[in-house]
Amino acid sequence: MTSVLDLAPVVPVVVIEDAADAVPLARALVAGGLPAIEVTLRTPAALDAIRAIAAEVPEAVVGAGTVISADGVDAAVAAGARFLVSPGWTQTLLDAMQRSGVPFLPGVSTTSEVVALLERGVDEMKFFPAEAAGGTAYLRSLAGPLPQARFCPTGGISLASAPSYLALPNVGCVGGTWMLPADAIASQDWGRVEALAAGAAALRD
């Protein structure tokens, strides 16, 4: 499959409180041009949401975020997740993600973590929390000594700051939540979500 980093310039990071919202939300994001959707495992509804999107929105590439345990890996893949994202990694978690059979983006925020992953044959990663961990300046300085590492920075990125990340040679996409305003989700204003998604999808043009 195409790398998660190359599916769209932005991966929406979705927190779903009500699994009934999952399918219309995913359809709005896909219609706006953002097919890769990271559903975070932060709510009791998350696995049901992944299951529903996988079953009913085949054009979406649904993944699981905030994966922090081997059990979380297994549950997410069983629910239909087609990629995995973690905020950080341990040897145990990395082993589970490598066994899972689906692409994954382990989270890093230091040079040593990047080198350790490259040692394990992993060259695609999440940079988190992006803004707090040094932002574009930090990623730009990694590109020289570690050009083989590619990143999806996530954490504090906005529509305004995303282009500066996407311009970096070692950034494939960014993760963000700005196309998912809480009031739009609460009022089920999927048209607004689609319009914001379209704006995010246009960032690569």
Side-chain angles (χ1 to χ4, degrees), residues 5 67 84-91 93-94 97 104-120 122-135 138-139 142 146 148-155 157 165 170-171:
L5 299 184
V67 178
L84 305 169
V85 185
S86 70
W89 64 278
T90 65
Q91 297 295 344
L93 180 57
L94 187 64
M97 290 195 289
F104 56 90
L105 298 173
V108 297
S109 59
T110 69
T111 309
S112 294
E113 291 171 314
V114 176
V115 172
L117 285 175
L118 291 173
E119 235 177 46
R120 291 284 298 268
V122 178
D123 58 11
E124 296 187 344
M125 315 166 193
K126 170 179 177 169
F127 179 60
F128 176 83
E131 287 285 283
Y138 194 98
L139 285 168
L142 288 181
L146 301 169
Q148 65 272 54
R150 294 181 74 215
F151 300 95
C152 173
T154 304
I157 298 174
Y165 282 94
N170 55 350
V171 169

Side-chain angles (χ1 to χ4, degrees), residues 14-45:
V14 182
V15 179
I16 292 183
E17 303 288 350
D18 182 350
D21 290 336
V23 166
L25 178 59
R27 285 180 176 146
L29 291 169
V30 170
L34 301 181
I37 301 168
E38 176 188 333
V39 177
T40 67
L41 301 184
R42 297 183 204 172
T43 68

Side-chain angles (χ1 to χ4, degrees), residues 154-190:
T154 304
I157 298 174
S158 65
L159 178 61
S161 63
S164 59
Y165 282 94
L166 293 167
L168 297 173
N170 55 350
V171 169
C173 63
V174 300
T177 59
W178 73 83
M179 72 299 301
L180 301 158
D183 58 335
I185 307 298
S187 62
Q188 300 184 324
D189 187 352
W190 309 126

